Amino acid sequence: MKNTKILAGVGLLLVCGAGSAMAADAIHGNEIRLGLYIVQYDAHADDITGPFVPKGLNVNVKNVNTAYVAYVRRLSPNFVLELAAGVPPKTETTGKGPAMLGSVPFDGQVISTAKWFAPTLLLNYVFLDESSAWRPYFGVGANYTKFYDRQSTAAGNAANGGPTSISLTSSLGPAATLGVRWHLQDRWSLYASYSYSVVRSNLVANTAGVLRRTHIDFNPTTLVLSVGFAF
Amino acid sequence: MRVHSLRLVAVSAALVLAACGNDSPTSTIDTTSTARGTLIEDPPLRIASLDAPTLNAELMASAAGQQLLLVAGAPACGVDFNYFHYWTVGGMNETATASGALMVPTGGAGCTGARPIVLYAHGTDTNKNLNLADITDPTNSEGALIAAMFAAQGYIVVAPNYAGYDTSSLDYHPFLNGDQQSKDMIDALTAARQALGHVLASTTTDSGKLFITGYSQGGYVAMATHKAMQAAGMTVTASAPMSGPYALEAFGDFVFLGHVNLGSTIFTPMITTSYQRSYGNIYAATTDVFEAAYAPTIEGLLPSTMTVDSIIGNGLLPQLELFNSNTPGNGDASSGSALLDAYLAEPSDPNDPNTPLFRLGFGTSNLIKNSYRIAYVADLAANPDGAVPQTNLLPAAAPANSLRQAFKTNDLRSWTPAAPVLMCGGAGDPVVFFPVNTLLMQAYWQNYAPQLPPGVVTVLDVASAITGPNDPFLLAKGGFAQAEAAIDAGAGGGAAGFQARVSSYHSTVAPFCSAAARGFFGLF
């Protein structure tokens, strides 16, 4: 519901601001952007290893939408520094592999939820001059992801064989983005961007002292629709 | 008998992507207490959960499983296989960890709620990695047997792997040490009772009824546990020791007199290592007992991560030859006594059908030195056991040989049951001789516990004839006879059939005695 409201807000701004770009607006050094993060994972994990683990057990990660917020600092007419983050999304992990482990459903079951704090720092090159209404840009930078607030589901506990604690290493990896700005008027702009980050982690699950491990490449791609306010 | 091969099932290990940043996994090991019977992880890990149809389907997937189902019946309950660790002690009362299986029935009425517990003691296993809870292991035939026989019929099963096995901190196994093994069983039971109510199948609870059973080594351990729990004032509803070496001194003397049992080259190093580590006086050096080819590696050889075939193939143990066929006074130097030389001679009685079996235990790749055998037999001649030859049925009053002293210490002709006992076995067992163990215990109680009310001790020989349509053990006897006939026919009958029946006899008895035990427990 929250994401729907944000999307609606972005749409309203698109309508209200259409055709009102003003090339002669003042130059501002800072900008705050708010919008929608549409995160799609193309997760690839090693099969899980450890005691009492059958072959072919794996995991998947469900896509998620969340609120996007970023602070942008103008460095020059063509370079900006973007510190982007989302409201940490609650991400659901599903089992991938056999339909049943004994009599316990596995494949496709939501076995856990977790929140991600994943700020990304990007140095963006913005094409054209600052009077242009449309300005495409690209950027490169780094993503840091920290995982927290684990909630193992009943299905997860059943599949793991009991209450499970998880260790998931934080990730630091490169990130890149492609986007376009549409200047609406004065301090307001609209943005659309497509980003990719390298997010990798080593996971260790502990169930009653028994450890199981895997390595996961999350391969998140994000589509961001946002509105920016310069000041 | 390899009862099964449940192929699949590993539940577990769905790594949950729910994260805790960089936090290291927190161990749930309770390091606050190492007291006996303390459950180390609470709740323990559930390795697998099978509902009744799934368990049935898994067993039906193999010929051995199908045979087991014929004896055990179709599962009435599902089974959760929990794997727990607990604190216990070793043979010198040293603190040790051990692990075991807690099989919890699941499903509807008759499976959940207050259910009786079967405390099960497993048989001799050379596999150090033995884990009865791991039903995903296709070699875990004994785990499958007790799951189908007891847990799938509504009994909570507690089955320790024993100290010295699996992840145990003990670097040896106190094999046939009655004091240690009964403590191990009691500690496993105590820990498992702590876990009940905390495991995932938490609606199955302890009714308070306790049954003890086990096979072969486990038959001995089951009886030793009954004895220890009775002495401690703990509740035992009934027990059913099966095919166990209860009268250890008599059994040992019988073997040293040349009646070599199948498996003796496996049992002997397990016994000597156990008693050496527990009592410290079996030998000053392994070469006191064992031939030079085996002595350097014999202590601690078993249980092992190597297969028996590898152990024998690598020359670490002989396959069958326990004693030298050049016996004292007959190919080797005389013991100095004509009587002892006669005792030590290879069995040759043409009227004893077991003579060929006994003679398999003699050869020139023998395990035990003649010098040690002479010393042992000299002591049994000087301080005879009352059952070998049969006199007063009691263990020797004061054996001088340290191995015989250890046997006497652990001999179960030392107690009288208060709760009902069913001793089950097969009269022709070539591994654990029935007469010198089961029948001797029965005779011992008949002679020395005349106050025992009728029905407290029941003996079942599954190889005995069915007494009629009302024979309470009709199915066990009939099933065993059919199984023997099938083995004989499968080997082509004749000498090959006989050999096949003899070599598999001990394991063939197991499911039928287990079924009889379940029927016996159902009376209470």
Side-chain angles (χ1 to χ4, degrees):
Chain A
M1 180 63 76
K2 185 177 179 181
N3 292 339
T4 305
K5 288 179 178 176
I6 293 168
L7 194 58
V10 172
L12 184 62
L13 284 166
L14 277 169
V15 173
C16 295
S20 58
M22 295 180 65
D25 289 338
I27 303 300
H28 302 284
N30 303 291
E31 186 179 40
I32 292 293
R33 298 178 190 169
L34 298 174
L36 174 65
Y37 238 137
I38 303 169
V39 185
Q40 292 192 307
Y41 299 99
D42 183 22
H44 294 279
D46 296 340
D47 279 355
I48 300 162
T49 60
F52 319 116
V53 179
K55 289 182 179 178
L57 276 201
N58 212 298
V59 293
N60 214 339
V61 184
K62 295 179 78 171
N63 297 331
V64 66
N65 297 337
T66 189
Y68 163 86
V69 60
Y71 166 75
V72 179
R73 174 65 186 173
R74 177 181 179 277
L75 302 177
S76 73
N78 294 99
F79 282 97
V80 299
L81 198 61
E82 175 186 351
L83 178 61
V87 170
K90 185 177 180 180
T91 303
E92 294 181 334
T93 302
T94 58
K96 179 182 175 184
M100 307 287 284
L101 298 174
S103 302
V104 178
F106 179 69
D107 190 48
Q109 297 293 309
V110 175
I111 54 180
S112 75
T113 60
K115 289 187 175 178
W116 296 37
F117 174 62
T120 302
L121 185 64
L122 294 162
L123 179 62
N124 295 341
Y125 178 80
V126 189
F127 293 96
L128 307 179
D129 61 48
E130 290 176 304
S131 63
S132 301
W134 292 90
R135 298 190 72 193
Y137 64 90
F138 75 91
V140 294
N143 167 270
Y144 173 75
T145 300
K146 184 177 178 64
F147 308 90
Y148 70 102
D149 197 10
R150 165 183 60 86
Q151 295 293 328
S152 182
T153 65
N157 286 342
N160 279 301
T164 301
S165 65
I166 300 286
S167 167
L168 195 55
T169 56
S170 296
S171 171
L172 180 62
T177 188
L178 286 173
V180 62
R181 186 198 78 163
W182 182 23
H183 186 209
L184 295 173
Q185 61 178 17
D186 191 19
R187 298 171 182 266
W188 296 92
S189 299
L190 290 178
Y191 293 87
S193 66
Y194 184 77
S195 305
Y196 173 79
S197 302
V198 173
V199 179
R200 294 171 175 159
S201 185
N202 294 315
L203 192 153
V204 180
N206 183 335
T207 308
V210 172
L211 305 182
R212 287 75 173 258
R213 303 170 192 276
T214 189
H215 175 84
I216 306 174
D217 288 343
F218 291 96
N219 292 318
T221 55
T222 54
L223 176 65
V224 177
L225 300 173
S226 64
V227 58
F229 175 78
F231 56 96
Chain B
M1 176 177 183
R2 174 150 296 170
V3 180
H4 120 109
S5 69
L6 273 190
R7 294 160 304 138
L8 91 86
V9 224
V11 171
S12 61
L15 284 189
V16 193
L17 268 195
C20 258
N22 289 326
D23 295 344
S24 297
T26 53
S27 170
T28 55
I29 291 177
D30 177 3
T31 55
T32 60
S33 172
T34 58
R36 283 182 49 201
T38 299
L39 180 66
I40 295 177
E41 300 103 15
D42 188 14
L45 177 76
R46 183 179 70 182
I47 291 179
S49 178
L50 303 179
D51 57 24
T54 305
L55 177 58
N56 189 69
E58 288 298 323
L59 290 169
M60 287 296 290
S62 71
Q66 291 169 20
Q67 291 175 4
L68 175 57
L69 285 173
L70 286 175
V71 183
C77 308
V79 180
D80 272 15
F81 296 85
N82 299 285
Y83 174 48
F84 69 103
H85 295 81
Y86 57 96
W87 287 104
T88 185
V89 292
M92 295 182 292
N93 272 323
E94 68 271 43
T95 298
T97 62
S99 65
L102 170 59
M103 301 180 187
V104 180
T106 61
C111 302
T112 55
R115 304 302 309 160
I117 291 178
V118 166
L119 180 59
Y120 182 84
H122 72 72
T124 303
D125 203 309
T126 60
N127 176 18
K128 188 182 185 310
N129 295 328
L130 172 73
N131 180 4
L132 293 171
D134 186 6
I135 203 65
T136 68
D137 177 357
T139 68
N140 182 16
S141 56
E142 198 163 4
L145 169 64
I146 56 178
M149 194 64 70
F150 298 110
Q153 301 298 327
Y155 291 91
I156 299 166
V157 175
V158 178
N161 295 321
Y162 298 155
Y165 282 90
D166 189 39
T167 59
S168 173
S169 61
L170 201 65
D171 65 353
Y172 67 99
H173 169 53
F175 186 73
L176 297 178
N177 179 326
D179 178 65
Q180 188 281 334
Q181 293 222 258
S182 59
K183 287 175 177 171
D184 195 341
M185 292 279 281
I186 292 167
D187 295 343
L189 175 65
T190 303
R193 280 176 161 154
Q194 292 174 47
L196 281 173
H198 300 182
V199 295
L200 291 173
S202 59
T203 59
T204 305
T205 57
D206 178 11
S207 72
K209 286 185 179 178
L210 179 71
F211 302 106
I212 308 172
T213 188
Y215 195 77
S216 195
Q217 175 196 1
Y220 170 86
V221 176
M223 186 180 287
T225 304
H226 189 162
K227 172 188 172 185
M229 292 186 72
Q230 180 175 297
M234 302 171 74
T235 297
V236 177
T237 307
S239 72
M242 304 179 289
S243 299
Y246 317 114
L248 273 169
E249 185 190 86
F251 188 22
D253 286 5
F254 193 63
V255 171
F256 266 81
L257 285 171
H259 310 102
V260 182
N261 55 327
L262 286 183
S264 62
T265 58
I266 301 295
F267 302 136
T268 300
M270 293 190 75
I271 289 172
T272 54
T273 297
S274 166
Y275 293 163
Q276 177 70 16
R277 296 295 298 270
S278 298
Y279 311 131
N281 65 346
I282 301 302
Y283 44 72
T286 54
T287 49
D288 295 347
V289 178
F290 299 103
E291 293 286 359
Y294 311 109
T297 54
I298 197 86
E299 187 170 302
L301 178 63
L302 295 173
S304 171
T305 55
M306 297 172 65
T307 64
V308 171
D309 287 347
S310 295
I311 289 170
I312 293 171
N314 287 318
L316 301 177
L317 282 179
Q319 185 170 16
L320 296 169
E321 299 168 5
L322 185 66
F323 298 132
N324 196 327
S325 52
N326 294 314
T327 59
N330 188 11
D332 197 14
S334 170
S335 66
S337 160
L339 177 63
L340 286 188
D341 286 353
Y343 279 160
L344 294 162
E346 266 194 80
S348 57
D349 182 354
N351 297 318
D352 185 343
N354 289 316
T355 294
L357 168 72
F358 298 149
R359 291 176 70 94
L360 290 174
F362 288 81
T364 53
S365 299
N366 56 297
L367 182 65
I368 292 180
K369 283 182 165 180
N370 269 348
S371 57
Y372 187 76
R373 190 166 172 237
I374 291 169
Y376 186 105
V377 171
D379 185 52
L380 78 79
N383 302 288
D385 185 284
V388 184
Q390 188 166 319
T391 53
N392 64 2
L393 305 179
L394 298 174
N401 176 276
S402 58
L403 181 55
R404 295 190 76 231
Q405 289 171 344
F407 280 148
K408 181 184 177 182
T409 298
N410 292 287
D411 197 299
L412 291 173
R413 285 171 288 172
S414 57
W415 78 299
T416 301
V421 174
L422 168 67
M423 288 189 294
C424 182
D429 193 334
V431 176
V432 181
F433 299 136
F434 189 78
V436 78
N437 287 294
T438 302
L439 295 183
L440 176 55
M441 287 305 302
Q442 183 186 38
Y444 166 76
W445 283 323
Q446 286 170 343
N447 281 270
Y448 293 98
Q451 79 283 6
L452 264 182
V456 171
V457 174
T458 304
V459 172
L460 169 60
D461 170 13
V462 294
S464 64
I466 294 170
T467 58
N470 295 324
D471 188 332
F473 300 113
L474 183 149
L475 292 178
K477 292 177 180 178
F480 177 73
Q482 288 179 3
E484 285 281 273
I487 292 168
D488 190 287
F498 176 78
Q499 185 176 349
R501 282 190 287 114
V502 170
S503 61
S504 63
Y505 191 103
H506 187 64
S507 54
T508 304
V509 169
F512 300 103
C513 273
S514 297
R518 190 180 75 196
F520 180 65
F521 295 158
L523 300 175
F524 307 100

